Amino acid sequence: MDYEKYLEEKEKEYENMCKRCGACCGAYDDPCKHLKLNKEGKYYCEIYEKRFGLRETIKGEKFYCVEIRKILNSHWKKDYLCGYKIKSKFI
């Protein structure tokens, strides 16, 4: 296996830890304007590939969307649902 393929597989593995609870994107508080709920009751970001940077919540709060690993040591409403926090024991 070449290195690029290895990195792609690791990225997929990491992405699959997400339970799509939406908590990190404010689903249970003041959600990001780009956070959507699908028919199965799972959340997703409608601009996922371009999500990083200055964003806005439904109520108009400005915030910076960052990689989940950068905020795992902080807390947000219902963060105990987060697959990344469960896996990394940051709850």
Side-chain angles (χ1 to χ4, degrees):
M1 173 185 317
D2 69 354
Y3 189 63
E4 253 183 63
K5 186 150 181 94
Y6 169 80
L7 289 177
E8 285 175 20
E9 287 181 14
K10 284 306 212 183
E11 182 179 3
K12 278 184 188 177
E13 184 181 311
Y14 190 74
E15 290 282 328
N16 285 334
M17 280 197 278
C18 180
K19 297 181 179 290
R20 310 291 184 258
C21 70
C24 64
C25 298
Y28 306 101
D29 193 13
D30 181 16
C32 174
K33 286 183 174 181
H34 299 288
L35 186 64
K36 304 298 177 196
L37 187 62
N38 68 19
K39 293 175 184 176
E40 292 80 36
K42 301 285 183 176
Y43 286 93
Y44 68 96
C45 176
E46 67 181 353
I47 60 163
Y48 189 76
E49 295 299 320
K50 297 178 182 181
R51 68 195 180 279
F52 300 131
L54 187 60
R55 299 287 171 234
E56 191 173 344
T57 68
I58 298 294
K59 293 179 184 175
E61 283 283 321
K62 303 277 191 222
F63 71 97
Y64 281 93
C65 182
V66 297
E67 296 174 49
I68 189 73
R69 64 185 176 83
K70 292 185 178 181
I71 62 168
L72 279 177
N73 62 343
S74 63
H75 294 282
W76 55 87
K77 195 169 192 173
K78 295 198 179 189
D79 64 353
Y80 59 86
L81 298 172
C82 177
Y84 294 104
K85 283 195 166 244
I86 293 167
K87 181 80 172 178
S88 63
K89 313 257 189 302
F90 273 110
I91 296 179

